[in-house]
Amino acid sequence: MRNILIVGGGYAGFYAAWNMERRLRRDEASITLVEPRPYMTYQPFLPEVLAGSIEARHAAVSLRRHLRRTRIITGWVTSVEHERRTVTVRTSDGPPFEETYDVIVITAGAVTRMIPVPGIAEQAIGLKHVEEAVAIRDRLLVAFDRAAVLPQGPERSKLLTTTFVGGGFTGVEGFGELLSLADDLLAQYPEIDPDEVSFHLVEAADRLMPEVSDSSAEWVLTELRRRRARVHVGTEVRSATGGRVELSTGETFESGLIVWAVGSVANPLVARRTDLPVDERGLLIVRADLRVGTDAAPVWDAWGAGDGAAVPDLTSAVPRVLTVPNAQHAVRQGRRLAANITASIRGGRVRPYRHRSLGVVASLGYGRGVFESGPIVLRGFLAWVVHRGYHVLAVPTWERKIRVLADWLPGLLFGRDIVSLDSVQRPRAAFLRGGRPPLTHAGESTADGTCSRAAQEEVTSS
């Protein structure tokens, strides 16, 4: 009986556990998965969650519902001591504790890259988790509501200005979808002129989306600018203090919503808190068969995959090239992990991971997209259809596929749902107000619709 411990419940971790449950008999191994969130996020759907095309919960796959034989620990692995076959786990409640294992699978993924730009940590929202996508959408909807009752001026202009930092896949898809949502909102807000709405996309490189060809990247740039977006390539954000964005070109503007989508870096757990081998970027060193180590120095009973692992790309003609850190590879690496760990336990032969990319597909908002696969290049509506078709097939479980399709149908018939639930971020505010309008010290409405400290104290004392 082998005790298998999986660190991380993202694509690779979820698919490894899901497939090991099917392959391994109950008397062969027990499986434990440690993940701080009780679900796996299907990240390609986050831009559509952001735009309101998909219900937020439908972009997440419950771990407990679909991993029936796996023991789930909702917490963080803070260190790995493979020599002792032990990890330290921290949860939201109680002291840290140790978990022992026979076989460890590191699929901790990557984390958002943070660059020390003044104001970003205080002002920006990331785009890696469902909660962030929901918050961005609600922030834009609330901004339109607030701007509609303000006179034209600096405050109204700031509310209607959105800035995305990062022009890779995540940034461009999120930017395009939110821009599409803003275009639809204008039909519901006659008080707001389209020229008042300002969207900025800032990318430090001299082009967008390095994953696609130069011609497609140029088409994306032209398409976004045609939709009145201001795209700044070859430009960096120098400061965002107080929502005042300062660019390396010298341009400055006030922005009420700032989204940080500049990419990912190795998980600190893998990079600094384990005795397993890592490379200079902090990625876990694995062989082609996903066993940790090298051919000359393998690490037994340790496996790794996903965005936090340096997986060799056997389909590339260039030596020592690694697989691209994306969902397409992570899903297939998770399946290969399950097959190889099962074979290893049974004394069979493990196989190397080999997968040739199916291509790239991205949505730029409703009815717009780009798709490339070998010589096939699609842009516009047909590429958008391919994007939706591919991802509804790729999202795990039939239950989630049906829920996503059920979200899309009303959108096609009735348009987007533009109800904001931003107040769920402050569930006690209405209770504390007791039906009174939210007040500041001066007796005026607060900017975010919550009670000021004075108003809360007044309600409490009364």
Side-chain angles (χ1 to χ4, degrees), residues 39 47 90 98 106-107 144 159 166 210 213 228 305 310 323 337 340 402 408 424 430:
Y39 54 81
R90 177 173 61 85
E98 290 189 343
I106 304 291
T107 55
F144 267 70
L159 285 169
S213 65
R228 302 191 310 276
T323 57
L337 276 173
N340 282 354
I402 293 171
W408 283 338
V424 302

Side-chain angles (χ1 to χ4, degrees), residues 14 24 41 90 105 129 133-134 168 173 177 194 240 294 306 313 338 342 358 421 424 431:
F14 173 82
L24 290 166
T41 302
R90 177 173 61 85
V105 183
H129 302 290
V134 172
E173 282 198 294
E177 288 286 355
T294 63
D313 188 353
T342 300
L358 300 176
L421 296 179
V424 302
F431 168 70

Side-chain angles (χ1 to χ4, degrees), residues 11-89:
Y11 298 112
F14 173 82
Y15 273 90
W18 202 26
N19 283 273
M20 277 193 283
E21 285 190 350
R22 300 174 181 179
R23 290 175 175 271
L24 290 166
R25 300 189 308 272
R26 291 181 181 273
D27 62 348
E28 285 185 295
S30 64
I31 306 170
T32 300
L33 187 149
V34 184
E35 163 62 36
R37 288 176 170 79
Y39 54 81
M40 183 208 82
T41 302
Y42 190 74
Q43 291 183 352
F45 278 155
L46 291 186
E48 295 213 41
V49 171
L50 180 150
S53 300
I54 293 177
E55 164 65 36
R57 291 172 300 171
H58 299 167
V61 179
S62 170
L63 298 178
R64 292 186 179 273
R65 177 168 185 171
H66 298 290
L67 300 179
R68 303 295 179 86
R69 287 176 47 197
T70 300
R71 174 186 171 219
I72 307 294
I73 299 177
T74 305
W76 296 262
V77 171
T78 58
S79 66
V80 177
E81 295 182 63
H82 188 62
E83 187 175 352
R84 295 177 53 225
R85 301 297 195 272
T86 301
V87 300
T88 301
V89 179

Side-chain angles (χ1 to χ4, degrees), residues 19 157 225 233 244:
N19 283 273
S157 177
R225 285 176 171 168
V233 293
R244 183 174 181 81

Side-chain angles (χ1 to χ4, degrees), residues 10 42-43 99 106 200 227 289 360 370 382 384 421 425 459:
Y42 190 74
Q43 291 183 352
E99 280 284 322
I106 304 291
H200 295 260
R227 293 161 62 187
D289 60 8
V360 293
V370 59
L382 189 56
W384 175 79
L421 296 179
Q425 306 293 332
V459 170

Side-chain angles (χ1 to χ4, degrees), residues 164-426:
F164 271 66
V165 186
F169 245 67
T170 300
V172 170
E173 282 198 294
F175 184 81
E177 288 286 355
L178 200 66
L179 180 60
S180 183
L181 172 60
D183 289 340
D184 288 349
L185 287 176
L186 287 169
Q188 311 298 324
Y189 288 84
E191 306 94 333
I192 298 175
D193 188 274
D195 291 335
E196 294 183 87
V197 179
S198 182
F199 270 69
H200 295 260
L201 176 61
V202 184
E203 168 56 41
D206 58 1
R207 54 161 287 179
L208 301 177
M209 302 177 74
E211 301 88 346
V212 302
S213 65
D214 290 344
S215 60
S216 289
E218 188 62 32
W219 179 85
V220 170
L221 178 62
T222 302
E223 170 68 14
L224 292 176
R225 285 176 171 168
R226 185 186 65 80
R227 293 161 62 187
R228 302 191 310 276
R230 300 192 61 184
V231 183
H232 311 264
V233 293
T235 306
E236 297 179 358
V237 174
R238 294 290 171 81
S239 175
T241 303
R244 183 174 181 81
V245 178
E246 299 180 12
L247 304 181
S248 57
T249 58
E251 182 177 355
T252 63
F253 52 87
E254 299 283 341
S255 183
L257 173 59
I258 301 173
V259 181
W260 186 259
V262 296
S264 302
V265 295
N267 193 305
L269 165 69
V270 178
R272 299 190 294 271
R273 301 170 190 164
T274 174
D275 55 0
L276 296 171
V278 297
D279 66 11
E280 65 279 0
R281 293 177 297 169
L283 299 176
L284 187 69
I285 296 175
V286 301
R287 310 188 316 177
D289 60 8
L290 305 182
R291 189 189 298 275
V292 174
T294 63
D295 292 337
V299 179
W300 302 107
D301 299 325
W303 305 78
D307 292 359
V311 181
D313 188 353
L314 300 184
T315 66
S316 174
V318 181
R320 293 186 295 276
V321 171
L322 304 179
T323 57
V324 177
N326 61 21
Q328 190 178 138
H329 281 297
V331 168
R332 288 164 175 79
Q333 288 168 9
R335 292 172 179 155
R336 176 47 52 196
L337 276 173
N340 282 354
I341 292 172
T342 300
S344 176
I345 289 175
R346 294 175 179 173
R349 185 167 68 93
V350 299
R351 299 178 183 276
Y353 172 74
R354 184 189 299 270
H355 170 67
R356 190 173 298 278
S357 175
L358 300 176
V360 293
V361 62
S363 170
L364 303 176
Y366 190 84
R368 305 173 182 91
V370 59
F371 168 73
E372 290 188 346
S373 180
I376 302 174
V377 178
L378 302 175
R379 297 162 187 163
F381 181 79
L382 189 56
W384 175 79
V385 173
V386 172
H387 172 271
R388 284 201 162 184
Y390 171 78
H391 284 300
V392 79
L393 292 174
V395 68
T397 80
W398 278 103
E399 173 249 348
R400 274 298 177 262
K401 298 179 197 295
I402 293 171
R403 289 184 186 276
V404 169
L405 288 171
D407 286 339
W408 283 338
L409 182 58
L412 291 172
L413 296 176
F414 307 114
R416 299 181 194 271
D417 188 339
I418 62 170
V419 174
S420 167
L421 296 179
D422 181 66
S423 58
V424 302
Q425 306 293 332
R426 301 168 299 277

